[in-house]
Amino acid sequence: MTDLVSSSGSAGTDQDPPTPLPRFDIAVLRVDPDGRVRFSNGVLERELAREPRALVGRPLHELADDRSRERIANALEAADGTELSLANGVFQIARDEHGVWLVRLPIDSDSTRLRADIDERNEDLARTNGSLAKAIEQLKEQKEELEQQKEELELQTEQLSEQATELEMQMEQLEVQKAELERQKEELGRQAEFLAEARRRAEAQANEYKQVSDLLHSANEQLEERAQALRDATEAKSRFLATMSHELRTPLNAVLGYSGLLRDGVYGAMNEAQERAILNIVRRAKDLQLLIDDVLDLSKIEAGRMELRYEEFDPRVILAEVEETIAPLASEKKLQLKMSATSAPAHVRLDRTKYKQILTNLASNAVKFTPFGGTVEITIDGSAGTQFVTRVRDTGIGIAPQNLERIFESFRQVEDGTTRRYGGTGLGLAIARRLTELMNGTIRAESTLGQGATFVVTLPVVSEEEAQAVAATETPEAAGAANDPVILAIDDDPEVILLLRDSLAAARFRVVGALDANRGLELARMLKPFAITLDIMMPEKDGWEVLKELKADPELADIPVLIMSIVSERALGFSLGVTDYLVKPVDRKVLIDVLERLRERREGRVALVVDEDPDARSVLEDLLRSLHFEVRCVAGGTEALQALDDTVPTVLFLSVTIPEDELAAVIARVQSARYADQTRTVLVARTDEEQRHRDWLRRAATAVIDDSALDQGETSREALMAQLRSVLAEITARQSAP
């Protein structure tokens, strides 16, 4: 039955049923377990005059005469070969993997012939199925190959895609590089044009520079003339203000004096109206006196002549003094004064007078601008440690925000009406700010219009200049190791002294500072320092005057003096006897080198030259100084003995040309106990003269040099230098031997 079904088509599925066999009356049906037709070979549809495949999907009991579903269901469950009677004939039941088959054999045909035909068709179908199986296997293999090729192609496609992406990126980079090269080319072109234009301009400007230079020179001369005129005007203004203040104070003092006498009844009793008039005169005179003082102070500050005198004081005492000063004015206006200094520092080191003036100006200002019945409060707070803050607060008219800085300008008040209403010149706050800044402090105003103002003054407990001055003038005992040479630095700038101290500490020199000439001379006499560094530009007494006094003092004349100044006057300095002249800023290494050479001289490298020939003495002195010796030259034996009384030389250069008795006296002196272990004698003689010397003279000498090398000339000097180095090396070796 399976073969019969196969002959009708391929495998017979719902999706692709086999094609009906023509010219046969064999009717074939396939039904599912539910009894519905799933396949028909079309014979029954022709017989029933229906469309092809019309029975597919219809229930099988519709083809039965009795339409009995139960009979149909029982037949479908029966064994193969069971016959089922339907309206169009008797169908034989068979089963295979595809389901239940119903086959109606022809009634009148030859069954044998039909079976043979069916067998033949089955064989054909078997052969066809085998071929199809091989073909299917080949197709599977081809499919696997195709899938593998597909995977390879996909991998290649992915690689090609990546390569294409990379090529695109490279192309983009090349495009960017190309654009950059184009831009650089354009930029180089522009630069070339710019350089060409610049060259043309430079050539054009080169012709103008000389004219500009001449104009600048002329302008500089005019500026210098104007600057000098300004200096002269400033000096004239200062002289005028000083003279004016003196001329105004003289009659003003008389007015105050006579007013006091009148008030005290010296010229007779006065009535109440007269006393009020006298009080008004005194008050106005004092106001005028304060105005004169303010103008003079402002002039000094602007001219840079306001000096600070630092001293230690208690700011709480100043607060009490200021309170006492403003109390009468506050009492007249029924003002409440509040003073607080509970956290104030007990001691500060500033200019006492200037601090009091600042506080007085601020307090007077607060009283002036506070209406009747208001409050003025002054507090001093030292909780910041290195600084203390003074606050002056009032409940006066206040200050608009845009005027908080303007009020500190000279002769400036908030508005013109303020001057007419409250009086004053507008100098109090300006002077307060200048004095505060002069002491390295700050002052600011805080205010809301109509709600009063607060002035905040911040000052250091110890001013920076004073701290530097104290550190710079530290005594030698507190400066470092006691055995290091002391360098006395005389300079009005404490930073220079502190810089010297830091620079020379590693070289084992102690620096003691003096901020003025008189203190420097005092320390020089007291300390007898190893060397002195001296500034030229100093107030009161300049460096030249100090140098003259040092060289004029026998106790100080031999102390080496190094000029360190911005003024380059080397010739003058050396003519006055300085050891070296260094122009600021001074190179640390150069300064240390100069001091080290001085230390070598101080540490015993002293040479005494005894020769009648002044040229020979000069040559030896120059060469020995270049070897860092301190040199003293004398002409004969008597002077040599005097020199030996003052010093113990390291080396004695003794010429045999001096008289023999003087030679003997000098040799005897250096052989005494004081000199025996420290002084070495070098004879200066020609070789033939040396042969004539007595044995004692030769034994007394450590070495002999040929005085023919003392002739002027470069070759002779080089030969003598070589001799000196050799002799000095031999002397050093002997002194070092046990």
Side-chain angles (χ1 to χ4, degrees):
M1 201 58 213
T2 303
D3 294 338
L4 179 61
V5 174
S6 300
S7 66
S8 300
S10 57
T13 63
D14 293 341
Q15 289 78 15
D16 189 14
T19 306
L21 295 174
R23 300 188 188 93
F24 284 95
D25 293 327
I26 300 174
V28 181
L29 298 175
R30 181 172 61 87
V31 297
D32 59 17
D34 294 332
R36 289 185 178 275
V37 178
R38 292 304 178 190
F39 169 74
S40 172
N41 64 352
V43 173
L44 290 181
E45 281 89 347
R46 281 199 310 272
E47 293 176 355
L48 297 174
R50 296 186 182 184
E51 294 292 331
R53 293 179 61 85
L55 297 179
V56 176
R58 306 298 300 173
L60 187 61
H61 68 267
E62 291 182 356
L63 298 177
D65 293 333
D66 56 0
R67 295 184 178 271
S68 174
R69 295 184 181 183
E70 183 179 355
R71 184 173 64 83
I72 296 299
N74 291 334
L76 293 177
E77 293 178 358
D80 289 352
T82 303
E83 293 183 351
L84 176 63
S85 177
L86 297 175
N88 292 72
V90 179
F91 288 78
Q92 192 174 24
I93 295 174
R95 290 177 176 83
D96 64 4
E97 67 273 15
H98 299 291
V100 180
W101 295 88
L102 282 75
V103 180
R104 188 192 67 185
L105 298 176
I107 299 174
D108 298 326
S109 299
D110 186 358
S111 299
T112 303
R113 183 177 58 82
L114 179 61
R115 176 63 63 183
D117 193 14
I118 290 172
D119 290 342
E120 183 180 354
R121 287 180 175 273
N122 284 339
E123 290 177 0
D124 291 340
L125 286 172
R127 287 192 298 271
T128 303
N129 286 338
S131 299
L132 287 173
K134 290 181 182 179
I136 290 171
E137 187 67 25
Q138 291 176 356
L139 287 174
K140 287 182 179 179
E141 292 177 356
Q142 291 176 0
K143 180 181 179 182
E144 291 177 356
E145 291 179 0
L146 288 173
E147 288 178 351
Q148 185 177 359
Q149 291 176 0
K150 179 183 177 182
E151 291 177 357
E152 293 177 355
L153 286 173
E154 287 178 350
L155 179 60
Q156 292 176 358
T157 301
E158 185 177 351
Q159 293 176 349
L160 289 173
S161 177
E162 292 177 355
Q163 292 176 359
T165 303
E166 185 175 355
L167 286 174
E168 288 177 358
M169 293 175 61
Q170 292 178 355
M171 288 296 294
E172 291 177 358
Q173 292 177 354
L174 288 174
E175 289 295 331
V176 172
Q177 292 176 356
K178 180 180 178 182
E180 179 65 18
L181 289 174
E182 290 293 335
R183 189 190 64 78
Q184 292 179 356
K185 181 179 178 181
E186 294 177 359
E187 181 66 22
L188 288 174
R190 287 194 296 269
Q191 290 180 357
E193 294 176 359
F194 175 78
L195 290 174
E197 180 64 22
R199 181 178 179 182
R200 289 192 295 271
R201 291 180 181 178
E203 291 175 353
Q205 289 175 353
N207 298 326
E208 299 176 4
Y209 281 157
K210 188 176 183 305
Q211 299 176 2
V212 173
S213 178
D214 294 340
L215 290 174
L216 286 175
H217 182 70
S218 176
N220 286 336
E221 290 181 349
Q222 294 177 5
L223 287 174
E224 181 60 30
E225 292 176 357
R226 292 180 181 178
Q228 185 60 45
L230 286 174
R231 288 193 291 268
D232 293 343
T234 301
E235 182 67 25
K237 182 185 74 172
S238 299
R239 288 196 302 269
F240 168 75
L241 289 174
T243 303
M244 180 199 71
S245 64
H246 174 73
E247 294 298 330
L248 289 176
R249 279 175 176 163
T250 300
L252 188 59
N253 290 335
V255 170
L256 289 171
Y258 283 117
S259 298
L261 294 176
L262 289 171
R263 183 185 55 194
D264 295 339
V266 173
Y267 301 112
M270 295 186 298
N271 57 37
E272 185 177 349
Q274 291 172 332
E275 287 182 358
R276 285 198 302 271
I278 291 297
L279 288 176
N280 287 332
I281 292 173
V282 171
R283 184 180 297 111
R284 298 305 180 188
K286 287 185 177 180
D287 289 343
L288 181 58
Q289 189 177 33
L290 290 175
L291 174 60
I292 294 170
D293 292 341
D294 286 345
V295 172
L296 190 59
D297 286 343
L298 185 63
S299 174
K300 288 181 180 179
I301 293 172
E302 290 179 345
R305 295 183 178 180
M306 178 64 75
E307 296 181 359
L308 298 177
R309 299 184 180 276
Y310 294 102
E311 59 181 303
E312 192 172 283
F313 63 90
D314 186 346
R316 294 170 296 186
V317 175
I318 303 298
L319 181 61
E321 293 176 359
V322 172
E323 181 181 12
E324 184 179 353
T325 301
I326 65 173
L329 297 175
S331 178
E332 290 181 5
K333 300 178 70 174
K334 308 298 183 184
L335 301 181
Q336 182 181 5
L337 296 180
K338 295 181 179 180
M339 306 292 165
S340 175
T342 54
S343 59
H347 301 284
V348 298
R349 189 171 183 82
L350 295 169
D351 189 312
R352 185 184 191 277
T353 303
K354 301 300 185 294
Y355 176 67
K356 182 178 180 180
Q357 186 174 356
I358 294 169
L359 194 52
T360 301
N361 285 2
L362 295 178
S364 300
N365 218 50
V367 170
K368 178 169 42 174
F369 290 103
T370 301
F372 281 85
T375 301
V376 174
E377 181 180 1
I378 304 176
T379 60
I380 300 177
D381 179 14
S383 58
T386 58
Q387 296 178 326
F388 71 102
V389 180
T390 304
R391 290 181 174 85
V392 179
R393 186 182 66 85
D394 63 64
T395 57
I397 61 175
I399 306 166
Q402 66 270 20
N403 293 324
L404 289 176
E405 283 298 321
R406 295 177 57 198
I407 57 175
F408 291 105
E409 298 175 7
S410 300
F411 303 103
R412 171 78 70 176
Q413 289 192 346
V414 175
E415 55 188 22
D416 294 338
T418 306
T419 303
R420 292 191 296 270
R421 181 179 177 186
Y422 294 96
T425 59
L427 288 177
L429 293 179
I431 292 175
R433 165 169 277 189
R434 302 289 183 87
L435 294 179
T436 301
E437 292 173 348
L438 201 61
M439 292 190 290
N440 297 316
T442 60
I443 183 172
R444 71 178 191 275
E446 302 171 351
S447 178
T448 301
L449 192 62
Q451 299 181 16
T454 301
F455 289 86
V456 183
V457 179
T458 304
L459 287 168
V461 173
V462 178
S463 72
E464 182 179 351
E465 290 82 356
E466 183 67 6
Q468 289 181 346
V470 171
T473 56
E474 190 177 14
T475 60
E477 292 74 17
N483 295 328
D484 292 344
V486 174
I487 308 298
L488 174 59
I490 305 176
D491 199 305
D492 62 330
D493 187 349
E495 288 188 5
V496 172
I497 298 174
L498 293 174
L499 182 61
L500 279 175
R501 178 168 297 163
D502 294 340
S503 300
L504 300 180
R508 300 192 64 82
F509 289 100
R510 288 185 293 160
V511 176
V512 179
L515 294 174
D516 60 77
N518 293 328
R519 177 60 176 167
L521 291 170
E522 179 184 346
L523 287 175
R525 295 185 179 95
M526 180 176 67
L527 301 175
K528 302 296 191 299
F530 169 75
I532 297 173
T533 65
L534 181 62
D535 185 24
I536 296 299
M537 304 292 290
M538 292 190 296
E540 297 182 1
K541 184 184 293 185
D542 63 21
W544 300 123
E545 296 180 65
V546 176
L547 180 61
K548 291 177 182 178
E549 292 191 34
L550 289 172
K551 295 304 179 182
D553 189 331
E555 295 184 357
L556 306 178
D558 293 333
I559 297 176
V561 178
L562 311 178
I563 297 294
M564 292 175 54
S565 176
I566 59 173
V567 179
S568 181
E569 294 286 352
R570 296 178 181 274
L572 178 58
F574 286 117
S575 68
L576 294 176
V578 301
T579 302
D580 211 330
Y581 199 113
L582 306 175
V583 178
K584 293 179 180 177
V586 177
D587 188 288
R588 174 178 176 271
K589 293 182 179 179
V590 173
L591 176 60
I592 291 177
D593 184 59
V594 172
L595 294 175
E596 288 292 353
R597 291 201 303 269
L598 292 176
R599 177 147 54 186
E600 289 177 1
R601 298 178 188 177
R602 177 65 63 88
E603 291 175 352
R605 294 176 65 87
V606 180
L608 176 60
V609 178
V610 185
D611 200 314
E612 294 178 336
D613 185 357
D615 293 334
R617 291 198 305 270
S618 177
V619 172
L620 271 177
E621 181 180 10
D622 291 341
L623 293 177
L624 288 170
R625 288 191 184 279
S626 69
L627 295 173
H628 308 310
F629 272 80
E630 182 179 353
V631 184
R632 186 169 180 180
C633 297
V634 296
T638 303
E639 296 172 344
L641 293 174
Q642 294 175 353
L644 289 171
D645 289 337
D646 299 332
T647 185
V648 178
T650 307
V651 184
L652 170 65
F653 288 86
L654 186 60
S655 174
V656 298
T657 59
I658 66 174
E660 194 165 309
D661 57 337
E662 295 181 10
L663 277 174
V666 173
I667 293 296
R669 176 68 64 83
V670 297
Q671 288 179 337
S672 63
R674 180 184 178 189
Y675 306 92
D677 295 331
Q678 301 183 53
T679 303
R680 296 294 181 265
T681 302
V682 177
L683 290 181
V684 181
R686 294 187 182 275
T687 304
D688 55 347
E689 292 177 348
E690 183 188 356
Q691 299 300 327
R692 298 197 301 271
H693 293 156
R694 291 185 294 275
D695 292 340
W696 66 268
L697 185 56
R698 292 200 302 272
R699 287 195 299 271
T702 303
V704 178
I705 61 174
D706 188 357
D707 70 354
S708 62
L710 297 176
D711 298 335
Q712 299 293 329
E714 192 64 28
T715 303
S716 298
R717 291 175 69 89
E718 291 178 358
L720 179 58
M721 177 62 78
Q723 289 188 57
L724 284 176
R725 290 185 183 277
S726 176
V727 168
L728 294 173
E730 181 181 355
I731 291 174
T732 302
R734 291 187 183 184
Q735 287 179 331
S736 303

